Amino acid sequence: MTQPDMPAPKLASLHLECDLDAPIEKVWRALSEPALLAQWLLPNDIAPETGAHFTRAGAADQGGTIDCEILESDPPRHLRFSWRASETRADGTQDTLDTVVTFELEPTADGRTHLRLVHDGFVVASDYRFDLPAEEPEIVVLLPPAAIARRRIRKPRRATFARRSLPTLMRLAA
């Protein structure tokens, strides 16, 4: 329920696509083996089987404990899981995050791996602006069709994905 002075919420997604200098099997291991996943993300007890529950144990500044469930697993090409976390603010209010992360992997002709990551379900205020600089590699923020129709957005906004972030970390773990 929104307060009268608060804009209605909408859903947003983060999209990332890049090519990794590793074969698909190696990238899959970086996504699905606990020790390798911990090297680039957070300590965890992942078991990449549909229906399996696992947690990611982060410090408070990393989102705390994140509860996850494998929604789909098709080794070594597809992994989809829920990402749920909650935090209690100093004023006693509760912040919750209930999103879904999807990794899609495709081998390339030159032996590398094309990675597509989608993190869906971020709830943001309807007037939240997605003004982010365009560079490669990128995160593409996509709005749901209803939001696009209301705001007449012609194309998704793009954002820089820091060099030391996911693609680099996954290469190191793989």
Side-chain angles (χ1 to χ4, degrees):
M1 182 172 200
T2 60
Q3 298 175 9
D5 59 342
M6 299 287 290
K10 64 183 174 189
L11 295 179
S13 300
L14 299 178
H15 292 235
L16 166 70
E17 290 193 41
C18 62
D19 289 324
L20 300 172
D21 293 323
I24 193 170
E25 294 80 12
K26 206 170 188 183
V27 176
W28 178 260
R29 286 187 15 232
L31 293 173
S32 62
E33 292 183 14
L36 296 176
L37 185 59
Q39 289 180 26
W40 66 269
L41 192 52
L42 292 170
N44 66 87
D45 59 348
I46 191 170
E49 300 165 0
T50 302
H53 291 264
F54 66 101
T55 57
R56 294 173 188 256
D61 63 342
Q62 297 172 317
T65 300
I66 301 161
D67 296 312
C68 302
E69 178 184 357
I70 303 290
L71 303 173
E72 297 172 15
S73 180
D74 182 19
R77 296 182 178 267
H78 183 82
L79 183 64
R80 183 173 187 251
F81 54 85
S82 62
W83 180 286
R84 295 182 183 108
S86 62
E87 176 185 2
T88 304
R89 293 183 186 184
D91 66 2
T93 60
Q94 189 85 9
D95 277 338
T96 58
L97 180 67
D98 191 357
T99 58
V100 174
V101 178
T102 304
F103 292 96
E104 294 175 359
L105 307 173
E106 285 295 323
T108 62
D110 60 359
R112 297 167 33 155
T113 302
H114 182 77
L115 166 70
R116 181 171 188 258
L117 176 140
V118 178
H119 197 157
D120 284 321
F122 291 98
V123 178
V124 296
S126 62
D127 61 349
Y128 184 83
R129 296 186 59 202
F130 292 96
D131 293 336
L132 303 166
E135 292 181 24
E136 296 291 336
E138 62 191 13
I139 292 177
V140 179
V141 179
L142 299 175
L143 302 176
I148 294 170
R150 278 194 313 272
R151 292 176 151 284
R152 295 193 171 98
I153 296 172
R154 299 193 194 292
K155 64 180 182 178
R157 306 291 176 138
R158 300 176 185 276
T160 300
F161 199 82
R163 283 185 177 263
R164 64 184 180 278
S165 53
L166 181 69
T168 302
L169 292 168
M170 285 187 68
R171 275 197 299 271
L172 293 173

mmCIF file of all heavy atoms in Angstrom, residues 99-127:
data_model
loop_
_atom_site.group_PDB
_atom_site.id
_atom_site.type_symbol
_atom_site.label_atom_id
_atom_site.label_comp_id
_atom_site.label_asym_id
_atom_site.label_seq_id
_atom_site.Cartn_x
_atom_site.Cartn_y
_atom_site.Cartn_z
ATOM 1 N N THR A 99 13.335 -10.687 -5.566
ATOM 2 C CA THR A 99 13.648 -10.593 -6.982
ATOM 3 C C THR A 99 14.024 -11.959 -7.528
ATOM 4 O O THR A 99 14.104 -12.935 -6.786
ATOM 5 C CB THR A 99 14.810 -9.600 -7.209
ATOM 6 O OG1 THR A 99 15.948 -10.036 -6.462
ATOM 7 C CG2 THR A 99 14.432 -8.194 -6.763
ATOM 8 N N VAL A 100 14.292 -12.016 -8.837
ATOM 9 C CA VAL A 100 14.692 -13.255 -9.498
ATOM 10 C C VAL A 100 15.920 -12.964 -10.356
ATOM 11 O O VAL A 100 15.952 -11.971 -11.088
ATOM 12 C CB VAL A 100 13.550 -13.814 -10.373
ATOM 13 C CG1 VAL A 100 14.011 -15.026 -11.176
ATOM 14 C CG2 VAL A 100 12.348 -14.187 -9.510
ATOM 15 N N VAL A 101 16.920 -13.827 -10.246
ATOM 16 C CA VAL A 101 18.152 -13.707 -11.021
ATOM 17 C C VAL A 101 18.198 -14.847 -12.029
ATOM 18 O O VAL A 101 17.969 -16.002 -11.675
ATOM 19 C CB VAL A 101 19.388 -13.778 -10.102
ATOM 20 C CG1 VAL A 101 20.672 -13.705 -10.908
ATOM 21 C CG2 VAL A 101 19.340 -12.682 -9.053
ATOM 22 N N THR A 102 18.499 -14.509 -13.289
ATOM 23 C CA THR A 102 18.602 -15.512 -14.345
ATOM 24 C C THR A 102 19.947 -15.375 -15.051
ATOM 25 O O THR A 102 20.323 -14.281 -15.461
ATOM 26 C CB THR A 102 17.474 -15.347 -15.381
ATOM 27 O OG1 THR A 102 16.213 -15.404 -14.712
ATOM 28 C CG2 THR A 102 17.525 -16.440 -16.441
ATOM 29 N N PHE A 103 20.657 -16.483 -15.169
ATOM 30 C CA PHE A 103 21.891 -16.548 -15.947
ATOM 31 C C PHE A 103 21.633 -17.440 -17.153
ATOM 32 O O PHE A 103 21.182 -18.571 -16.997
ATOM 33 C CB PHE A 103 23.035 -17.172 -15.136
ATOM 34 C CG PHE A 103 23.506 -16.341 -13.990
ATOM 35 C CD1 PHE A 103 23.016 -16.559 -12.710
ATOM 36 C CD2 PHE A 103 24.460 -15.351 -14.188
ATOM 37 C CE1 PHE A 103 23.471 -15.801 -11.641
ATOM 38 C CE2 PHE A 103 24.912 -14.585 -13.114
ATOM 39 C CZ PHE A 103 24.418 -14.806 -11.843
ATOM 40 N N GLU A 104 21.923 -16.944 -18.351
ATOM 41 C CA GLU A 104 21.837 -17.738 -19.571
ATOM 42 C C GLU A 104 23.213 -17.745 -20.208
ATOM 43 O O GLU A 104 23.831 -16.692 -20.381
ATOM 44 C CB GLU A 104 20.806 -17.148 -20.525
ATOM 45 C CG GLU A 104 19.394 -17.230 -19.990
ATOM 46 C CD GLU A 104 18.380 -16.537 -20.885
ATOM 47 O OE1 GLU A 104 18.765 -15.970 -21.924
ATOM 48 O OE2 GLU A 104 17.194 -16.560 -20.523
ATOM 49 N N LEU A 105 23.704 -18.926 -20.541
ATOM 50 C CA LEU A 105 25.036 -19.087 -21.114
ATOM 51 C C LEU A 105 24.929 -19.705 -22.501
ATOM 52 O O LEU A 105 24.175 -20.651 -22.699
ATOM 53 C CB LEU A 105 25.898 -19.991 -20.233
ATOM 54 C CG LEU A 105 26.013 -19.635 -18.753
ATOM 55 C CD1 LEU A 105 26.766 -20.721 -18.008
ATOM 56 C CD2 LEU A 105 26.697 -18.301 -18.588
ATOM 57 N N GLU A 106 25.716 -19.190 -23.437
ATOM 58 C CA GLU A 106 25.787 -19.742 -24.785
ATOM 59 C C GLU A 106 27.242 -19.826 -25.195
ATOM 60 O O GLU A 106 27.974 -18.839 -25.076
ATOM 61 C CB GLU A 106 25.039 -18.839 -25.788
ATOM 62 C CG GLU A 106 23.536 -18.933 -25.721
ATOM 63 C CD GLU A 106 23.007 -20.292 -26.114
ATOM 64 O OE1 GLU A 106 23.566 -20.934 -27.034
ATOM 65 O OE2 GLU A 106 22.024 -20.728 -25.494
ATOM 66 N N PRO A 107 27.679 -20.988 -25.709
ATOM 67 C CA PRO A 107 29.054 -21.055 -26.205
ATOM 68 C C PRO A 107 29.167 -20.248 -27.495
ATOM 69 O O PRO A 107 28.220 -20.190 -28.287
ATOM 70 C CB PRO A 107 29.270 -22.548 -26.458
ATOM 71 C CG PRO A 107 27.902 -23.119 -26.618
ATOM 72 C CD PRO A 107 26.963 -22.247 -25.840
ATOM 73 N N THR A 108 30.312 -19.622 -27.691
ATOM 74 C CA THR A 108 30.548 -18.884 -28.936
ATOM 75 C C THR A 108 31.419 -19.735 -29.849
ATOM 76 O O THR A 108 32.038 -20.713 -29.413
ATOM 77 C CB THR A 108 31.221 -17.527 -28.664
ATOM 78 O OG1 THR A 108 32.497 -17.761 -28.066
ATOM 79 C CG2 THR A 108 30.372 -16.654 -27.734
ATOM 80 N N ALA A 109 31.485 -19.360 -31.115
ATOM 81 C CA ALA A 109 32.246 -20.127 -32.100
ATOM 82 C C ALA A 109 33.730 -20.186 -31.758
ATOM 83 O O ALA A 109 34.406 -21.155 -32.101
ATOM 84 C CB ALA A 109 32.048 -19.517 -33.492
ATOM 85 N N ASP A 110 34.240 -19.172 -31.060
ATOM 86 C CA ASP A 110 35.670 -19.130 -30.735
ATOM 87 C C ASP A 110 35.990 -19.757 -29.370
ATOM 88 O O ASP A 110 37.082 -19.567 -28.834
ATOM 89 C CB ASP A 110 36.202 -17.701 -30.810
ATOM 90 C CG ASP A 110 35.506 -16.745 -29.850
ATOM 91 O OD1 ASP A 110 34.584 -17.178 -29.118
ATOM 92 O OD2 ASP A 110 35.873 -15.558 -29.829
ATOM 93 N N GLY A 111 35.051 -20.495 -28.777
ATOM 94 C CA GLY A 111 35.303 -21.198 -27.523
ATOM 95 C C GLY A 111 35.053 -20.387 -26.272
ATOM 96 O O GLY A 111 35.276 -20.863 -25.171
ATOM 97 N N ARG A 112 34.587 -19.160 -26.428
ATOM 98 C CA ARG A 112 34.257 -18.323 -25.280
ATOM 99 C C ARG A 112 32.806 -18.572 -24.892
ATOM 100 O O ARG A 112 32.144 -19.440 -25.439
ATOM 101 C CB ARG A 112 34.494 -16.855 -25.648
ATOM 102 C CG ARG A 112 35.938 -16.578 -25.964
ATOM 103 C CD ARG A 112 36.191 -15.249 -26.613
ATOM 104 N NE ARG A 112 35.280 -14.208 -26.163
ATOM 105 C CZ ARG A 112 35.543 -12.918 -26.186
ATOM 106 N NH1 ARG A 112 36.686 -12.485 -26.631
ATOM 107 N NH2 ARG A 112 34.666 -12.035 -25.781
ATOM 108 N N THR A 113 32.307 -17.794 -23.935
ATOM 109 C CA THR A 113 30.922 -17.947 -23.480
ATOM 110 C C THR A 113 30.231 -16.599 -23.487
ATOM 111 O O THR A 113 30.765 -15.623 -22.964
ATOM 112 C CB THR A 113 30.878 -18.535 -22.053
ATOM 113 O OG1 THR A 113 31.558 -19.788 -22.048
ATOM 114 C CG2 THR A 113 29.441 -18.734 -21.577
ATOM 115 N N HIS A 114 29.051 -16.566 -24.086
ATOM 116 C CA HIS A 114 28.213 -15.361 -24.034
ATOM 117 C C HIS A 114 27.319 -15.502 -22.802
ATOM 118 O O HIS A 114 26.593 -16.482 -22.657
ATOM 119 C CB HIS A 114 27.367 -15.215 -25.296
ATOM 120 C CG HIS A 114 26.545 -13.968 -25.283
ATOM 121 N ND1 HIS A 114 27.083 -12.730 -25.548
ATOM 122 C CD2 HIS A 114 25.239 -13.761 -25.004
ATOM 123 C CE1 HIS A 114 26.136 -11.811 -25.450
ATOM 124 N NE2 HIS A 114 25.008 -12.418 -25.115
ATOM 125 N N LEU A 115 27.399 -14.522 -21.899
ATOM 126 C CA LEU A 115 26.612 -14.519 -20.664
ATOM 127 C C LEU A 115 25.523 -13.466 -20.774
ATOM 128 O O LEU A 115 25.779 -12.330 -21.172
ATOM 129 C CB LEU A 115 27.507 -14.180 -19.470
ATOM 130 C CG LEU A 115 26.784 -13.805 -18.167
ATOM 131 C CD1 LEU A 115 26.113 -15.027 -17.564
ATOM 132 C CD2 LEU A 115 27.747 -13.175 -17.185
ATOM 133 N N ARG A 116 24.325 -13.848 -20.416
ATOM 134 C CA ARG A 116 23.211 -12.906 -20.279
ATOM 135 C C ARG A 116 22.690 -13.057 -18.866
ATOM 136 O O ARG A 116 22.314 -14.149 -18.446
ATOM 137 C CB ARG A 116 22.112 -13.210 -21.285
ATOM 138 C CG ARG A 116 20.948 -12.242 -21.182
ATOM 139 C CD ARG A 116 19.977 -12.449 -22.361
ATOM 140 N NE ARG A 116 19.000 -11.406 -22.354
ATOM 141 C CZ ARG A 116 17.749 -11.554 -21.902
ATOM 142 N NH1 ARG A 116 17.355 -12.712 -21.440
ATOM 143 N NH2 ARG A 116 16.921 -10.554 -21.925
ATOM 144 N N LEU A 117 22.709 -11.963 -18.104
ATOM 145 C CA LEU A 117 22.222 -11.957 -16.732
ATOM 146 C C LEU A 117 21.039 -11.009 -16.663
ATOM 147 O O LEU A 117 21.106 -9.895 -17.186
ATOM 148 C CB LEU A 117 23.324 -11.479 -15.784
ATOM 149 C CG LEU A 117 22.924 -11.339 -14.328
ATOM 150 C CD1 LEU A 117 24.053 -11.832 -13.442
ATOM 151 C CD2 LEU A 117 22.605 -9.908 -13.983
ATOM 152 N N VAL A 118 19.957 -11.462 -16.069
ATOM 153 C CA VAL A 118 18.780 -10.616 -15.851
ATOM 154 C C VAL A 118 18.423 -10.706 -14.379
ATOM 155 O O VAL A 118 18.287 -11.798 -13.835
ATOM 156 C CB VAL A 118 17.580 -11.072 -16.717
ATOM 157 C CG1 VAL A 118 16.361 -10.207 -16.443
ATOM 158 C CG2 VAL A 118 17.936 -11.060 -18.194
ATOM 159 N N HIS A 119 18.307 -9.562 -13.737
ATOM 160 C CA HIS A 119 17.870 -9.499 -12.333
ATOM 161 C C HIS A 119 16.549 -8.731 -12.341
ATOM 162 O O HIS A 119 16.539 -7.519 -12.522
ATOM 163 C CB HIS A 119 18.931 -8.799 -11.479
ATOM 164 C CG HIS A 119 18.766 -9.051 -10.024
ATOM 165 N ND1 HIS A 119 19.802 -8.934 -9.133
ATOM 166 C CD2 HIS A 119 17.691 -9.421 -9.275
ATOM 167 C CE1 HIS A 119 19.374 -9.212 -7.913
ATOM 168 N NE2 HIS A 119 18.090 -9.502 -7.975
ATOM 169 N N ASP A 120 15.443 -9.453 -12.178
ATOM 170 C CA ASP A 120 14.078 -8.923 -12.307
ATOM 171 C C ASP A 120 13.431 -8.654 -10.967
ATOM 172 O O ASP A 120 13.721 -9.330 -9.988
ATOM 173 C CB ASP A 120 13.161 -9.969 -12.974
ATOM 174 C CG ASP A 120 13.359 -10.088 -14.446
ATOM 175 O OD1 ASP A 120 13.568 -9.065 -15.092
ATOM 176 O OD2 ASP A 120 13.279 -11.220 -14.938
ATOM 177 N N GLY A 121 12.488 -7.709 -10.981
ATOM 178 C CA GLY A 121 11.583 -7.554 -9.853
ATOM 179 C C GLY A 121 11.918 -6.466 -8.872
ATOM 180 O O GLY A 121 11.390 -6.458 -7.765
ATOM 181 N N PHE A 122 12.774 -5.518 -9.240
ATOM 182 C CA PHE A 122 13.064 -4.403 -8.346
ATOM 183 C C PHE A 122 11.864 -3.470 -8.311
ATOM 184 O O PHE A 122 11.382 -3.034 -9.356
ATOM 185 C CB PHE A 122 14.298 -3.616 -8.811
ATOM 186 C CG PHE A 122 15.565 -4.393 -8.670
ATOM 187 C CD1 PHE A 122 16.108 -5.051 -9.760
ATOM 188 C CD2 PHE A 122 16.210 -4.475 -7.446
ATOM 189 C CE1 PHE A 122 17.280 -5.768 -9.639
ATOM 190 C CE2 PHE A 122 17.380 -5.187 -7.314
ATOM 191 C CZ PHE A 122 17.921 -5.841 -8.414
ATOM 192 N N VAL A 123 11.372 -3.164 -7.132
ATOM 193 C CA VAL A 123 10.240 -2.257 -6.980
ATOM 194 C C VAL A 123 10.807 -0.863 -6.751
ATOM 195 O O VAL A 123 11.566 -0.641 -5.809
ATOM 196 C CB VAL A 123 9.335 -2.672 -5.799
ATOM 197 C CG1 VAL A 123 8.197 -1.690 -5.619
ATOM 198 C CG2 VAL A 123 8.810 -4.086 -6.017
ATOM 199 N N VAL A 124 10.450 0.048 -7.643
ATOM 200 C CA VAL A 124 10.924 1.431 -7.537
ATOM 201 C C VAL A 124 9.731 2.371 -7.677
ATOM 202 O O VAL A 124 8.679 1.995 -8.202
ATOM 203 C CB VAL A 124 11.987 1.759 -8.612
ATOM 204 C CG1 VAL A 124 13.238 0.910 -8.411
ATOM 205 C CG2 VAL A 124 11.432 1.572 -10.009
ATOM 206 N N ALA A 125 9.894 3.601 -7.232
ATOM 207 C CA ALA A 125 8.826 4.597 -7.378
ATOM 208 C C ALA A 125 8.574 4.847 -8.852
ATOM 209 O O ALA A 125 9.491 4.824 -9.674
ATOM 210 C CB ALA A 125 9.235 5.895 -6.682
ATOM 211 N N SER A 126 7.323 5.096 -9.208
ATOM 212 C CA SER A 126 6.973 5.273 -10.618
ATOM 213 C C SER A 126 7.660 6.463 -11.254
ATOM 214 O O SER A 126 7.833 6.511 -12.464
ATOM 215 C CB SER A 126 5.459 5.381 -10.793
ATOM 216 O OG SER A 126 4.990 6.522 -10.106
ATOM 217 N N ASP A 127 8.099 7.425 -10.449
ATOM 218 C CA ASP A 127 8.792 8.575 -11.023
ATOM 219 C C ASP A 127 10.320 8.440 -10.942
ATOM 220 O O ASP A 127 11.044 9.379 -11.221
ATOM 221 C CB ASP A 127 8.345 9.877 -10.349
ATOM 222 C CG ASP A 127 8.658 9.904 -8.855
ATOM 223 O OD1 ASP A 127 9.022 8.845 -8.293
ATOM 224 O OD2 ASP A 127 8.527 10.982 -8.264
#
